[in-house]
């Protein structure tokens, strides 16, 4: 038991510190459980090799994989973006309407499409709504993330956490979730949470990003942008842009070359520099002074706005923010070790990481999930970035490439995936047989299928109808999430089998001596919400559900009510930007600080804790 607790502590530390990627942490958990398991080196975790790898074949893991692919198919049709643009037309420059548009699109849609891709899709749409409506994106992007969390609790398939919790509930109680098991409470949570965001929440958010959205001023990089002229006898004359500056010695990049009034931007790596050229550099004052002291260049000045960095003859945007999501090839890399510049002929001027704006010595910094890069690139490079799932470009491309003709196919497929699970075919068959006298109609019950089967069938249908190309199904899967599920599922089993859940349940059940069952239920909600704020929501469900079930049994309460409380709480990572991936997606584009999530999230967490616990008691009861 102590060994399992040790593994849990190690996993929590690695999740919080990000010393290892989450998928690597998951593999480490599996290895430790099996090495110390029933057929490993010693028998300390009671987990066999088969049980240690069972997470990969678990129905929850496979269902999540299928739902990620289905969500990608919906994304390819552009239906979410189209809805977002229609809401933009409704919103105009009225902040209240903008908030309603943001919540009205992201909340309900997240009930049927995994909420992580919903936010990834809508970040550029909502950023453009803010820009066109003369509103700071800071007022809309946290509400976007939070509303997607509300919507994720509308159905079983709204988030991977629900699917995982359903599997754990089936194993512990023999009672999985139906498709609309908690929809009635989910609607209440969505309405209450939305009302809070529209009336109170946005007032607690400062305007971190200026309304005029000038990136040079927003990122405060004026001091790092300099214009210099190449001297007649400069050693730079005759060299190419790529070879002109020794990046080992100097932290500088040549952004543009201006010659005889003509401006050249990326790709300029192989362009030869001539005497008299004006170079626009990204470099700090110390580096520029070193270049001047070596009689290499003559200092001219510094561009102070976006307009000065964007060539007059190129009408499209050349400065853009991109967010790094999970699964991107940049995660864990540095700008120096990655091939980002070479692939996209792009220059990174600055980036935000966990609220810190980095403007110098960027090449050595390890890039993490949620980091936002301020990039200068040619329009065609920006288009390629926007079409690549490795990035979330914080503005919609001018000519988005969507398969709008496939919208009816995708909608029909998702309706089938949900319908064959949710519709009570057995009841319909019995009623039809009684009304018509045709006994064969009783066989309609056979049409009810598990979500695992309908989701996989939906994947096949997506490819068969051309909504998705065969090669796209692999790119649609967030493999780190799949490995995370595969690693933590056996950890939850070990917690049960070693008696760890019983011990923790007994300790928590002691609060029943001075708290009613409703109070103990609230304690579990708050505890799960706090844990989710620092580790994965999936991990918090696996660790908390066995303890919640055991606690409920010891105090004589309904264990299913406690399962629901933990499930809802795991999707309320409002307090920190790192507890839920959707928060990371909006962290950089919104220019937020860590404290902003606490300021708006803490009252919301308390409000929904009361609403959810009372709702569970009302709809399901505690006895």
């Amino acid at each position: 038991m102590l060994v399992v607790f040790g593994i849990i502590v190690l996993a929590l530390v690695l999740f919080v510190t990000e010393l290892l990627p989450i998928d690597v942490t998951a593999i480490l958990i599996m290895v430790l459980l099996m090495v110390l398991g029933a057929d490993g080196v010693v028998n300390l975790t009671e987990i066999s090799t088969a049980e240690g790898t069972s997470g990969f074949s678990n129905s929850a893991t496979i269902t999540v994989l299928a739902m990620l692919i289905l969500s990608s198919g919906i994304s390819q049709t552009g239906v979410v973006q189209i809805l977002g643009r229609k809401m933009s037309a409704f919103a105009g420059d009225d902040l209240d309407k903008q908030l309603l548009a943001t919540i009205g699109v992201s909340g309900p849609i997240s009930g049927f499409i995994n909420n992580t891709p919903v936010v990834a899709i809508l970040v550029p749409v909502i950023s453009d709504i803010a820009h066109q409506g003369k509103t700071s994106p800071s007022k809309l992007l946290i509400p976007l993330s939070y509303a997607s969390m509300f919507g994720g609790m509308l159905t079983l398939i709204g988030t991977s956490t629900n699917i995982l919790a359903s599997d754990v509930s089936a194993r512990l109680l023999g009672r999985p979730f139906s498709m609309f098991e908690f929809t009635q409470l989910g609607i209440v949570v969505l309405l209450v949470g939305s009302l809070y965001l529209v009336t109170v929440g946005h007032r607690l958010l400062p305007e971190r990003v200026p309304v005029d959205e000038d990136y040079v001023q927003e990122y405060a990089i004026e001091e790092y942008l300099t214009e210099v002229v190449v001297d007649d006898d400069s050693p730079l004359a005759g060299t190419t842009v790529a070879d002109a500056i020794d990046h080992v010695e100097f932290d500088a990049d040549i952004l543009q070359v201006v010659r005889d009034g003509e401006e050249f931007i990326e790709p300029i790596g192989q362009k030869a520099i001539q005497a008299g050229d004006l170079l626009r550099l990204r470099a700090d004052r110390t580096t520029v002074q070193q270049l001047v002291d070596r009689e290499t260049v003559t200092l001219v000045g510094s561009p102070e706005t976006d307009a000065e960095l964007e060539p007059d003859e190129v009408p499209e945007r050349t400065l853009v923010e991109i967010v790094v999501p999970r699964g991107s090839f940049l995660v864990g890399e540095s700008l120096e070790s990655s091939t980002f510049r070479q692939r996209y002929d792009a220059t990174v001027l600055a980036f935000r990481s966990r609220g810190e704006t980095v403007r110098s010595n960027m090449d050595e910094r390890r890039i993490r999930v949620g980091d936002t890069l301020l990039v200068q690139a040619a329009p065609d490079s920006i288009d390629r970035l926007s079409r690549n799932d490795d990035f979330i470009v914080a503005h919609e491309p001018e000519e988005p490439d969507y398969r709008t003709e496939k919208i009816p196919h995708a909608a029909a497929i998702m309706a089938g995936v949900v319908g064959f699970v949710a519709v009570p075919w057995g009841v319909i068959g019995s009623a039809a047989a009684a009304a018509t006298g045709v006994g064969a109609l009783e066989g309609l019950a056979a049409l009810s299928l598990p979500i695992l089967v309908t989701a996989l069938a939906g994947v096949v249908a997506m490819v068969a109808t051309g909504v998705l190309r065969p090669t796209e199904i692999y790119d649609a899967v967030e493999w780190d999430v799949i490995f995370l599920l595969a690693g933590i599922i056996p950890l939850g089993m070990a917690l049960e089998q070693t008696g760890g859940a019983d011990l923790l349940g007994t300790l928590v059940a002691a609060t029943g001596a001075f708290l009613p069952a409703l109070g103990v239920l609230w304690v579990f909600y708050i505890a799960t919400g706090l844990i989710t704020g620092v580790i994965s929501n999936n991990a918090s469900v696996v660790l908390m559900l066995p303890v919640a079930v055991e606690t409920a049994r010891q105090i004589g309460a309904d264990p299913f009510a406690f399962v629901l409380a933990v499930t809802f709480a795991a999707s309320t990572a409002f307090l920190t930007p790192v507890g839920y991936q959707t928060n990371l997606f909006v962290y950089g584009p919104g220019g937020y600080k860590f404290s902003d999530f606490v300021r708006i999230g803490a009252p919301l967490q308390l409000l929904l804790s009361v609403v959810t616990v009372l709702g569970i008691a009302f709809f399901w009861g505690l006895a």
Side-chain angles (χ1 to χ4, degrees):
M1 183 192 306
L2 292 178
V3 172
V4 173
F5 284 146
I7 295 174
I8 291 173
V9 170
L10 174 63
L12 294 178
V13 170
L14 292 177
F15 283 138
V16 172
T17 61
E18 298 182 9
L19 292 175
L20 293 174
I22 64 168
D23 46 354
V24 177
T25 298
I27 295 172
L28 175 61
I29 292 170
M30 285 189 288
V31 170
L32 291 175
L33 288 171
M34 290 184 290
V35 168
L36 303 175
D39 53 1
V41 177
V42 289
N43 186 6
L44 297 176
T45 65
E46 299 186 15
I47 292 295
S48 66
T49 302
E51 290 173 323
T53 57
S54 63
F56 286 108
S57 60
N58 187 275
S59 61
T61 304
I62 300 173
T63 303
V64 169
L65 183 147
M67 292 309 305
L68 289 171
I69 297 172
L70 293 174
S71 296
S72 177
I74 297 293
S75 303
Q76 294 289 355
T77 67
V79 64
V80 178
Q81 294 90 332
I82 291 170
L83 287 173
R85 286 199 297 272
K86 289 184 179 298
M87 295 302 286
S88 174
F90 157 79
D93 57 2
D94 186 298
L95 177 58
D96 290 336
K97 288 185 177 181
Q98 291 168 359
L99 285 166
L100 287 174
T102 300
I103 297 167
V105 172
S106 60
I109 288 178
S110 294
F112 298 92
I113 306 175
N114 188 282
N115 54 8
T116 300
V118 166
V119 173
I121 293 168
L122 288 177
V123 162
V125 176
I126 300 304
S127 295
D128 285 346
I129 287 177
H131 179 65
Q132 296 163 10
K134 306 301 180 183
T135 299
S136 170
S138 308
K139 291 290 188 179
L140 300 179
L141 288 176
I142 278 183
L144 167 65
S145 178
Y146 287 1
S148 76
M149 294 185 211
F150 305 153
M153 297 311 301
L154 290 174
T155 69
L156 171 65
I157 61 176
T159 174
S160 61
T161 309
N162 298 346
I163 297 171
L164 180 58
S166 176
D167 180 79
V168 176
S169 179
R171 187 174 73 246
L172 296 177
L173 303 177
R175 183 177 177 180
F177 299 153
S178 65
M179 178 62 70
F180 299 108
E181 181 78 54
F182 37 72
T183 300
Q184 67 269 47
L185 181 55
I187 292 173
V188 173
V189 168
L190 175 61
L191 292 176
V192 172
S194 300
L195 184 63
Y196 168 84
L197 292 176
V198 172
T199 58
V200 178
H202 74 90
R203 302 179 192 281
L204 301 176
L205 285 173
E207 295 185 353
R208 297 292 185 193
V209 176
V211 174
D212 59 10
E213 209 171 25
D214 189 304
Y215 289 130
V216 172
Q217 297 173 6
E218 178 188 335
Y219 280 79
I221 56 175
E222 297 97 327
E223 295 185 2
Y224 295 85
L225 298 176
T226 305
E227 293 181 347
V228 297
V229 173
V230 179
D231 298 335
D232 291 338
D233 56 350
S234 171
L236 298 184
T239 64
T240 64
V241 169
D243 298 331
I245 295 179
D246 183 354
H247 290 91
V248 175
E249 184 177 2
F250 299 108
D251 177 30
D253 292 304
I254 298 176
L255 309 179
Q256 294 173 8
V257 177
V258 182
R259 181 181 301 159
D260 298 326
E262 183 178 1
E263 301 183 3
F264 303 93
I265 61 171
E266 299 285 358
I268 55 174
Q270 298 307 310
K271 189 166 192 63
I273 296 174
Q274 298 179 8
D277 283 353
L278 183 146
L279 308 181
R280 286 176 176 155
L281 301 178
R282 181 203 63 81
D284 59 25
R285 290 290 181 253
T286 302
T287 300
V288 173
Q289 190 59 50
Q290 288 176 325
L291 292 172
V292 172
D293 291 343
R294 296 188 182 190
E295 300 181 350
T296 302
V297 295
T298 300
L299 183 63
V300 175
S302 300
E304 297 180 353
T305 65
D306 290 358
E308 295 180 57
L309 278 174
E310 296 181 357
D312 294 335
E313 65 271 20
V314 181
E316 292 90 348
R317 183 184 299 109
T318 58
L319 286 178
V320 70
E321 288 178 307
I322 63 171
V323 182
V324 180
R326 280 181 180 161
S328 171
F329 74 88
L330 278 180
V331 175
E333 298 284 346
S334 66
L335 292 174
E336 183 178 49
S337 66
S338 73
T339 58
F340 177 75
R341 290 190 179 100
Q342 293 80 0
R343 285 193 194 186
Y344 296 98
D345 295 318
T347 299
V348 179
L349 302 183
F351 71 85
R352 290 196 182 105
S353 180
R354 302 298 192 267
E356 176 191 3
T357 301
V358 182
R359 308 176 189 88
S360 60
N361 299 317
M362 296 183 296
D363 284 1
E364 303 298 326
R365 288 285 295 262
R366 182 170 66 91
I367 297 172
R368 299 189 287 182
V369 174
D371 284 358
T372 302
L373 312 182
L374 178 61
V375 170
Q376 182 183 39
D380 63 333
S381 293
I382 293 173
D383 287 341
R384 286 192 292 127
L385 285 166
S386 66
R387 291 193 295 267
N388 194 320
D389 291 337
D390 281 322
F391 313 104
I392 301 171
V393 177
H395 289 280
E396 279 203 287
E398 296 295 329
E399 297 181 3
D401 183 20
Y402 303 135
R403 298 167 194 159
T404 53
E405 73 281 1
K406 297 296 182 181
I407 290 177
H409 301 81
I413 291 168
M414 286 303 298
V417 169
V418 174
F420 280 103
V421 176
V423 174
W425 296 105
V427 175
I428 293 174
S430 298
T436 63
V438 180
L441 291 176
E442 293 278 3
L444 284 176
L447 292 175
S448 295
L449 297 171
I451 182 62
L452 169 63
V453 176
T454 64
L456 289 174
V459 171
V460 175
M462 285 276 188
V463 176
T465 57
V467 177
L468 277 173
R469 299 188 179 100
T471 54
E472 291 174 338
I473 63 177
Y474 301 100
D475 294 333
V477 179
E478 297 177 24
W479 293 104
D480 55 345
V481 174
I482 300 304
F483 273 93
L484 174 63
L485 293 176
I488 62 175
I489 286 173
L491 183 58
M493 295 168 58
L495 188 62
E496 299 163 36
Q497 295 177 13
T498 59
D502 292 345
L503 175 62
L504 293 176
T506 301
L507 294 175
V508 179
T511 61
F514 52 88
L515 285 178
L518 191 67
V520 179
L521 188 69
W522 182 81
V523 168
F524 263 101
Y525 184 100
I526 292 296
T528 305
L530 293 175
I531 291 174
T532 299
V534 294
I535 66 171
S536 163
N537 50 329
N538 290 320
S540 65
V541 159
V542 169
L543 295 177
M544 293 298 290
L545 279 182
V547 181
V549 168
E550 184 59 33
T551 300
R553 285 172 174 160
Q554 293 195 27
I555 65 173
D558 180 8
F560 190 69
F562 281 67
V563 167
L564 289 171
V566 169
T567 303
F568 269 80
S571 291
T572 58
F574 304 132
L575 292 176
T576 73
V578 297
Y580 211 85
Q581 190 173 182
T582 59
N583 286 347
L584 286 174
F585 286 173
V586 303
Y587 197 3
Y592 298 116
K593 296 182 178 179
F594 193 99
S595 59
D596 293 333
F597 288 85
V598 178
R599 181 183 295 111
I600 185 175
L604 179 60
Q605 189 96 43
L606 288 173
L607 173 64
L608 291 186
S609 71
V610 174
V611 170
T612 304
V613 168
L614 292 178
I616 290 172
F618 177 78
F619 289 118
W620 290 274
L622 299 181

